[in-house]
């Protein structure tokens, strides 16, 4: 498997490694504040994801990563549909809370709706990519 | 919609990758165009036709 060593790929990996390093440093100060611990953990996770993303991108030819009109169209269609799915999810949560007195907190609703939005966008992107007539 | 992209590619000895690079799109897009499963914008159709040294209506065949 050939890995591309473009300037973009290497700089992305570099930023990922620096983020991991900063997260690790933050964990050394975890006794001072819980917030620093959480931020440190998140930084490490983000750094790892950046490195993995860059490595995956480096295995593909540059032409496969272009955001051409078809990809843009797919992203727009998926984003439009995901927007309505998020609104629907919010409406369902609101009425479910009202009817059954679920006492849903804003924090819980936020994370649920965020996940619904992200996953519906990703799934719809896959679906529109497979579908021919977009 | 049918296309003659494959025919023109063979004429000029171009791979899908070569044509994609010339036009500035993904190879996947060229695959879908060849199969007639993607409706390109006017600009993309023009760019593909130009890359294949032809006219739009020679490359893309619209069925009545």
């Amino acid at each position: 498997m050939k890995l591309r060593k473009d300037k973009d790929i290497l700089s992305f990996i570099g930023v990922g490694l620096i983020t991991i390093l900063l997260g690790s440093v933050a964990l050394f100060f975890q006794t001072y504040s819980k917030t620093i611990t959480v931020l440190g953990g998140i930084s490490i996770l983000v750094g790892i994801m950046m490195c993995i993303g860059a490595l995956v991108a480096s295995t593909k030819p540059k032409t496969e990563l272009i955001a051409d009109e078809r990809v843009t169209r797919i992203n727009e269609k998926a984003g439009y549909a995901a927007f309505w799915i998020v609104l629907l999810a919010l409406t369902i949560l609101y009425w479910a809370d009202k009817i059954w007195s679920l006492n849903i907190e804003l924090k819980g609703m936020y994370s649920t709706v965020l996940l619904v939005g992200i996953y519906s966008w990703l799934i719809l992107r896959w679906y529109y990519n497979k579908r021919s007539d977009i | 919609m049918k296309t003659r992209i494959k025919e023109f590619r063979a004429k000029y000895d171009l791979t899908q990758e070569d044509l994609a690079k010339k036009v500035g799109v993904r190879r996947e897009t060229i695959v879908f165009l060849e199969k007639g499963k993607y409706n390109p914008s006017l600009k993309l159709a023009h760019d593909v036709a130009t890359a294949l040294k032809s006219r739009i209506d020679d490359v893309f065949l619209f069925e009545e």
Side-chain angles (χ1 to χ4, degrees), chain A residues 95-109:
Chain A
W95 284 107
D97 185 43
K98 223 172 163 74
I99 293 167
W100 292 302
S101 303
L102 299 173
N103 296 321
I104 297 173
E105 288 182 3
L106 186 62
K107 240 183 353 187
M109 199 184 260

Side-chain angles (χ1 to χ4, degrees), chain A residues 12-118:
Chain A
F12 208 72
I13 290 174
V15 169
L17 289 172
I18 289 169
T19 311
I20 292 171
L21 185 67
L22 287 172
S24 307
V25 167
L27 286 180
F28 273 116
F29 298 101
Q30 60 183 318
T31 50
Y32 292 96
S33 166
K34 194 181 173 187
T35 311
I36 292 177
T37 313
V38 169
L39 284 174
I42 290 171
S43 296
I44 290 172
L45 270 172
V46 167
I48 290 169
M49 279 166 56
M50 284 177 78
C51 290
I52 292 171
L55 283 170
V56 167
S58 71
T59 60
K60 297 181 181 178
K62 213 168 186 178
T63 48
E64 283 198 32
L65 300 171
I66 298 169
D68 62 10
E69 69 165 48
R70 186 174 174 270
V71 169
T72 306
R73 213 185 274 185
I74 287 169
N75 284 340
E76 284 170 359
K77 282 193 95 163
Y80 177 78
F83 165 73
W84 288 109
I85 290 172
V86 164
L87 283 188
L88 181 66
L90 271 170
T91 309
I92 290 170
L93 280 171
Y94 173 78
W95 284 107
D97 185 43
K98 223 172 163 74
I99 293 167
W100 292 302
S101 303
L102 299 173
N103 296 321
I104 297 173
E105 288 182 3
L106 186 62
K107 240 183 353 187
M109 199 184 260
Y110 164 77
S111 54
T112 305
V113 170
L114 182 68
L115 285 172
V116 164
I118 291 171

Side-chain angles (χ1 to χ4, degrees), chain A residues 66-73 134, chain B residues 1 3 5 19-34 37-52 54-57 59-60 62:
Chain A
I66 298 169
D68 62 10
E69 69 165 48
R70 186 174 174 270
V71 169
T72 306
R73 213 185 274 185
I134 48 152
Chain B
M1 181 188 63
T3 71
I5 295 175
L19 181 59
K21 269 188 196 164
K22 274 186 126 182
V23 176
V25 296
R26 294 189 182 192
R27 190 186 68 85
E28 199 178 33
T29 303
I30 300 296
V31 169
F32 277 95
L33 279 173
E34 275 188 11
K37 291 186 173 184
Y38 174 61
N39 293 322
S41 64
L42 182 57
K43 187 183 181 307
L44 178 58
H46 173 261
D47 290 345
V48 169
T50 305
L52 295 172
S54 321
R55 292 160 26 150
I56 293 177
D57 45 6
V59 178
F60 298 93
F62 293 91

